[in-house]
Amino acid sequence: MYIQQIRNATLKVQYAGKTFLIDPFFAEKHSMPPFPNTPNQNRRNPLLYLPVPVEELIHADAVIVTHLHPDHFDQAAVEALPKDITILAQSTEDAEEIRKYGFTGVSAIDDVQFFEGIRLMRTSGQHGRGDITKMTGPVSGIVFKHAHEPALYVAGDTVWCSEVEAALDLHQPEVVVVNGGSAQFLEGGPITMTAEDIFAVKEAAPQTEIVVSHMEALNHCLLTRSELHRIIKEKNLCNSVFVPEDGETLKF
């Protein structure tokens, strides 16, 4: 299994001989305004260039869209992706929205269950805590399983919560991708994982290797890679918690 960190939550995963593109966010650097009611209003999104040409990213067997926020499925992705590519959405409602852009191969993850012999299972999460989730809306993750690969859990845009704990208990993943960055608005607390959330995942599932995605690409992501590296080193977890740079590929 290979996991390539592209930018923000965009990943390219090679699993059991198939290539999955997760949460395609192809916008040009600084082409979008900062998210409203967030820190760093002087910084336009995305903060960084894509490290891989779009022409390479769109060559995938399937695209997975964990939710429809614009930093996970944007207009640039709509324009670049082949209209007949297989797209797996978190729900029938999201699938219907994606079809409106002209895509013909869209299904809800729960309706598919298997893709080319790979077991796919949707998980739930909380995109923040308390009332802020009324604004952020429903989000999902996905578990990949195959006889010849480690079990992989891509948690999606969620903080540490009972749904994540339940997914770890149920699926016993060997590799977990979490969305870090500690993204937040001016009120309401973080809506993606903080360092404390990431280490809660590790404590709940000490056997797992953790990959931290969703770092340093958006104006409201306040946890930096350097700070997270420092904390990982302090906790002696450098061999099991990884924070890849954009464009970097990890093998498991």
Side-chain angles (χ1 to χ4, degrees), residues 24-153:
F25 174 42
F26 293 166
E28 292 285 341
K29 180 182 177 181
H30 294 166
S31 63
M32 299 166 60
F35 287 102
N37 196 36
T38 60
N40 299 318
Q41 284 294 299
N42 61 330
R43 308 186 74 189
R44 291 182 62 84
N45 294 314
L47 305 178
L48 305 166
Y49 292 106
L50 279 171
V52 179
V54 168
E55 293 75 20
E56 292 183 22
L57 294 175
I58 63 176
H59 292 295
D61 295 295
V63 177
I64 295 173
V65 180
T66 62
H67 64 300
L68 292 178
H69 286 175
D71 61 314
H72 293 255
F73 187 69
D74 67 341
Q75 185 60 37
V78 167
E79 294 171 2
L81 290 167
K83 290 299 182 282
D84 61 349
I85 198 168
T86 297
I87 299 181
L88 306 178
Q90 71 164 336
S91 63
T92 55
E93 292 80 8
D94 279 15
E96 184 57 37
E97 288 299 312
I98 294 171
R99 289 190 195 101
K100 291 177 182 178
Y101 293 112
F103 293 101
T104 58
V106 188
S107 302
I109 294 169
D110 286 343
D111 293 337
V112 173
Q113 299 186 10
F114 283 91
F115 178 83
E116 301 288 343
I118 300 166
R119 180 80 164 99
L120 301 175
M121 293 159 282
R122 187 185 62 81
T123 63
S124 298
Q126 292 290 327
H127 202 355
R129 295 180 175 91
D131 289 343
I132 201 167
T133 58
K134 297 175 183 176
M135 178 186 70
T136 54
V139 291
S140 296
I142 188 165
V143 172
F144 300 72
K145 287 191 175 182
H146 188 274
H148 302 302
E149 292 281 17
L152 169 64
Y153 169 32

Side-chain angles (χ1 to χ4, degrees), residues 15 52 128 159 180:
Y15 192 90
V52 179
V159 296

Side-chain angles (χ1 to χ4, degrees), residues 194-205:
T194 63
E196 291 77 13
D197 288 332
I198 294 164
F199 297 125
V201 173
K202 185 62 178 174
E203 184 175 358

